[in-house]
Amino acid sequence: MKHLGNQTKAIVAALALAALTGPALAQQGLDEPFQKPFKEALAGKTVAYVPVAMNFDLTEGWYAGLKKELEPFGVKFVIRDANWNTNAGAQAVTSLISEKPAVMVVHNPDVQTYAKLLQRAENEGIYVIQINMGSAYRSSAFVGANWVEIGERQTEAVVKACEGKSNKIAIVQGALSAAASAYTLKGVENVLAKHPEIKVASSQAADWDAAKAKAITQTVLKQNPDLCGIVGFWDGMDIGTAAAVKEAGLTGKVFLATSGGGEHKGACELVKSGAFDLNMSYDVPTQAAQMAGTIKWLLSSGAKPGSIKGSEYTTLIPITKENADSQTACWNLSDLKK
Amino acid sequence: MKRFRLSQQEIVFVVFALLFLVFSIFLNGFLTAENMLTLLQNVAVLGILGLAMAIVVIGRGIDISLIAALAVPPGLVLQMVQNGHSLPFSLMIAVLLTITFGLVNGWLIAYAEVPSLFATLATGLLLAGLGQATLFQLDVVQWSPGMNGFERLGQGTVLGIPTSIWMFAIACIVVAFLLRQTRWGAYIYAIGDNPYAARVTGIPSRPIIVLQYVITALIGCFAGLVLAASVNSMPTRIFNSTLIYDVILVVVLGGIGLSGGRGGVLNVIIGTLLIGTMLNGMTIMDISYAGQNLIKGVVLLLAVITDSFLNPRNEETAQQGDI
């Protein structure tokens, strides 16, 4: 019995195996022909990242996002921190040109400094991707916020908040030569041209510096206590603007619109606390994902660097009291780094 | 003839008075009590830093690392509280860090005899780098609920006067007392005037110099706490800004010669007032950033040129430590 039992078992097993492998053999899988060249195009390639500085939500977020998307494919990811020093940044780009990474991801401090260098890099066969703040040279790709649109939407919100009030507004600009500041100002002007009733009480540059923004806003509020709105150019700097508004006891009376990367502490929490009334977020994790996608596509396309040029503007997320509590409006740097 | 010569302090005061007069007459809303308070409030931190710098400059040194002392220890306080430590404990650690930093500066300059300019240039970078690399998660350290109440150091008013002005006033009184009423202060003037003579007469020069840098770092840390409380965060990358030049400007413009041994708190106040008046007036006039820089440059050049006409250099003064 026992012997027969074993025989039966063996037959059943053989049949089962035949049943399993039979159809598999009949429907043999096709080898996907694109994976191998894709993997080969990425493995061992170097992507260099040159931010204006590390250690703040935007650049840390892009870094974490890019790392997460690229390293699993064997891409070597190197960083050259310009640490708010334009010369150091230009030097980093220059030395990278001779090191010849496959891709350079560059965050421009202004529209001129790197322009010639980036052109040279593409001539040398390096793809250049510019993030958020572009230069005068158009490279393989620009991934970032549409500053003109940000300026327009912020100003529209301020103009609306001013209806029936004094119609006096202030503008706190960033660093004058930076793309982010100059183009946002253009957006502000576009809207103001349609609203001649709005009077600009002050339009000054605070150089991305919270303390300077506070000093300027304090003086402006003392001169114009009936101010109805402020267009700020970056949430990192406008912490100072908001502090001045709060100190003057005008929180809720002066509408403060700003923009930023949408990190939880810097955006949602400050909107919830009433410091900012509107924060136009350009959603850093999505920007990072778009950059990573572009890098993968460029590397696997085999296109000659400099031969194609395109742009990807980020879809903006307006953060107000209504959505500041939601899970999706903001992102956490600590989560992104995991 | 010498009696008719104006000192730089007097020249700067005249420039300040003229500017103030012109702004008061032609600028709507300048000469109001509220605006005067804003003016002072805006330069209070700069003034406190000026006091710190004045101490070392009188002692014939310079402290380029002052902005690191302003940014890193207060930033550490905010970061530690954010990470769940108590405020008093965090403050204690920050003060200890500041004192250690001052001791290192002082030791390098007094005992290792490294010129103060180079020593503090290096230590400042070191401290700022240490903060960026190991202490802070982000450049801008945010305020957290554990800090509640502490913002009163830089915000709000006492008797109608903004707190930061009070802080500047307190710092002025403390530094004036230290420099004018204590033996330590007298020694600093002696060392600044002639370090070799001071040593020969038995003044313990080296320990005094060390103490000088410790106190400067502590005042810098205090200025940082006022700044952080005022903007509800600590923008630690302020180390990379041009603030240190503004501080030196306040000191030199106010008439504390870089050759040491001269000047005092009044000079810092005058220097601060001139800078404050210029910034405030230009903000009210809504002058562009570039325009403001141009005007600042012209006014400063005028002050310096007038000084060199009225007080021409001779061999003796030229040999002293002008930078």
Side-chain angles (χ1 to χ4, degrees):
Chain A
M1 262 316 266
K2 199 180 166 194
H3 177 70
L4 189 70
N6 269 353
Q7 225 171 17
T8 320
K9 265 188 206 163
I11 292 165
V12 171
L15 282 174
L17 194 69
L20 276 174
T21 52
L25 282 172
Q27 311 177 8
Q28 198 170 31
L30 276 169
D31 197 15
E32 206 243 288
F34 313 122
Q35 265 198 43
K36 199 166 158 257
F38 172 78
K39 284 182 177 159
E40 279 170 3
L42 263 67
K45 291 281 161 56
T46 304
V47 173
Y49 175 49
V50 189
V52 294
M54 282 305 276
N55 283 320
F56 68 104
D57 52 4
L58 303 179
T59 50
E60 289 281 340
W62 290 323
Y63 177 75
L66 280 175
K67 215 170 138 79
K68 197 186 264 178
E69 280 287 317
L70 296 174
E71 282 192 344
F73 292 96
V75 172
K76 205 173 141 228
F77 197 43
V78 297
I79 182 165
R80 297 279 188 277
D81 187 354
N83 203 13
W84 299 104
N85 182 337
T86 308
N87 285 332
Q91 257 172 36
V93 174
T94 311
S95 68
L96 278 172
I97 291 174
S98 56
E99 287 169 34
K100 285 219 165 68
V103 183
M104 256 201 271
V105 177
V106 179
H107 186 206
N108 293 285
D110 58 59
V111 291
Q112 284 305 335
T113 313
Y114 297 173
K116 281 259 157 58
L117 289 172
L118 299 184
Q119 188 173 9
R120 222 176 84 202
E122 294 219 303
N123 291 341
E124 297 278 328
I126 303 165
Y127 296 110
V128 175
I129 295 181
Q130 302 183 57
I131 42 177
N132 242 6
M133 300 205 278
S135 76
Y137 171 70
R138 191 172 186 204
S139 63
S140 299
F142 168 82
V143 180
N146 183 347
W147 297 107
V148 178
E149 188 193 343
I150 287 182
E152 286 175 350
R153 289 175 70 175
Q154 279 181 239
T155 316
E156 276 161 9
V158 168
V159 168
K160 192 158 169 276
C162 279
E163 267 171 24
K165 292 187 186 164
S166 68
N167 280 337
K168 267 200 225 166
I169 68 164
I171 303 166
V172 183
Q173 304 175 36
L176 290 180
S177 53
S181 198
Y183 299 153
T184 306
L185 189 62
K186 180 68 194 149
V188 174
E189 285 166 353
N190 288 348
V191 173
L192 290 182
K194 284 187 243 156
H195 291 275
E197 78 278 11
I198 299 287
K199 195 179 154 273
V200 179
S202 156
S203 177
Q204 303 235 336
D207 226 10
W208 306 131
D209 178 351
K212 238 181 232 173
K214 187 180 179 194
I216 291 173
T217 311
Q218 269 176 333
T219 308
V220 173
L221 284 175
K222 285 278 154 63
Q223 299 303 315
N224 310 278
D226 56 342
L227 205 75
C228 57
I230 301 174
V231 182
F233 280 22
W234 181 41
D235 55 12
M237 162 182 84
D238 288 321
I239 293 175
T241 315
V245 173
K246 190 180 155 209
E247 210 170 282
L250 293 169
T251 305
K253 291 190 187 119
V254 177
F255 188 95
L256 176 52
T258 186
S259 66
E263 209 274 333
H264 194 77
K265 272 202 210 79
C268 280
E269 276 182 21
L270 287 169
V271 169
K272 270 197 273 182
S273 77
F276 301 144
D277 295 282
L278 168 71
N279 190 335
M280 292 301 283
S281 159
Y282 25 87
D283 194 11
V284 164
T286 307
Q287 289 186 320
Q290 289 184 350
M291 260 185 268
T294 310
I295 290 171
K296 288 177 189 171
W297 187 82
L298 281 172
L299 285 176
S300 60
S301 71
K304 196 173 161 285
S307 65
I308 40 167
K309 292 160 198 293
S311 307
E312 292 169 77
Y313 288 102
T314 329
T315 309
L316 299 170
I317 306 176
I319 300 170
T320 58
K321 273 230 164 71
E322 273 86 64
N323 64 351
D325 265 325
S326 80
Q327 296 293 316
T328 48
C330 286
W331 53 281
N332 262 319
L333 185 58
S334 49
D335 291 344
L336 197 65
K337 277 182 171 173
K338 275 173 199 163
Chain B
M1 188 64 201
K2 183 124 174 87
R3 294 182 63 188
F4 297 106
R5 281 195 181 151
L6 289 164
S7 69
Q8 184 165 338
Q9 179 188 346
E10 285 150 355
I11 294 161
V12 172
F13 188 78
V14 169
V15 173
F16 158 67
L18 276 176
L19 211 63
F20 197 88
L21 196 73
V22 171
F23 282 169
S24 303
I25 297 170
F26 295 105
L27 219 55
N28 254 342
F30 177 79
L31 196 66
T32 61
E34 287 227 307
N35 188 55
M36 286 302 105
L37 291 178
T38 310
L39 184 158
L40 280 173
Q41 196 181 357
N42 287 343
V43 288
V45 170
L46 184 66
I48 299 174
L49 289 171
L51 291 170
M53 185 62 86
I55 292 178
V56 283
V57 170
I58 290 168
R60 207 183 260 205
I62 197 156
D63 191 350
I64 305 293
S65 69
L66 189 58
I67 307 302
L70 162 112
V72 177
L76 181 65
V77 173
L78 265 68
Q79 185 71 62
M80 283 179 70
V81 172
Q82 208 180 85
N83 296 350
H85 295 280
S86 77
L87 180 59
F89 176 70
S90 313
L91 279 173
M92 195 185 77
I93 297 292
V95 168
L96 283 178
L97 174 70
T98 314
I99 292 175
T100 315
F101 181 63
L103 285 173
V104 170
N105 268 342
W107 182 84
L108 280 172
I109 293 154
Y111 291 91
E113 295 187 355
V114 181
S116 55
L117 181 67
F118 304 119
T120 54
L121 193 64
T123 55
L125 275 171
L126 182 86
L127 185 66
L130 180 81
Q132 223 174 21
T134 60
L135 303 179
F136 313 128
Q137 277 153 17
L138 291 175
D139 261 8
V140 177
V141 190
Q142 301 273 2
W143 205 254
S144 52
M147 300 288 297
N148 279 349
F150 197 72
E151 71 273 5
R152 267 180 251 145
L153 193 68
Q155 292 177 22
T157 55
V158 177
L159 303 175
I161 294 171
T163 353
S164 43
I165 300 177
W166 283 109
M167 295 303 143
F168 180 36
I170 291 169
C172 282
I173 293 166
V174 170
V175 172
F177 176 79
L178 281 175
L179 286 177
R180 297 293 181 193
Q181 302 296 325
T182 63
R183 182 172 296 174
W184 177 77
Y187 285 167
I188 289 188
Y189 280 97
I191 294 169
D193 204 32
N194 191 334
Y196 307 106
R199 199 175 294 172
V200 169
T201 48
I203 293 173
S205 309
R206 292 189 210 261
I208 296 278
I209 291 173
V210 174
L211 188 62
Q212 196 178 295
Y213 283 91
V214 171
I215 289 183
T216 298
L218 283 172
I219 299 174
C221 172
F222 174 67
L225 289 172
V226 175
L227 176 78
S230 150
V231 283
N232 256 347
S233 63
M234 186 69 225
T236 60
R237 63 167 169 276
I238 200 164
F239 178 73
N240 296 316
S241 73
T242 53
L243 187 57
I244 191 70
Y245 304 122
D246 291 347
V247 176
I248 297 174
L249 213 61
V250 160
V251 170
V252 175
L253 205 62
I256 302 181
L258 285 167
S259 45
R262 269 169 290 148
V265 170
L266 194 63
N267 301 77
V268 176
I269 295 175
I270 290 173
T272 311
L273 283 179
L274 177 64
I275 301 268
T277 307
M278 281 201 304
L279 290 180
N280 182 274
M282 290 191 292
T283 307
I284 295 177
M285 286 187 276
D286 199 18
I287 294 176
S288 75
Y289 194 64
Q292 293 202 8
N293 280 339
L294 182 75
I295 293 169
K296 256 195 276 182
V298 168
V299 170
L300 298 180
L301 265 178
L302 280 179
V304 177
I305 292 171
T306 323
D307 174 55
S308 65
F309 267 112
L310 293 175
N311 301 308
R313 310 248 146 171
N314 57 27
E315 264 178 36
E316 188 199 346
T317 47
Q319 274 175 2
Q320 289 189 349
D322 280 286
I323 292 184

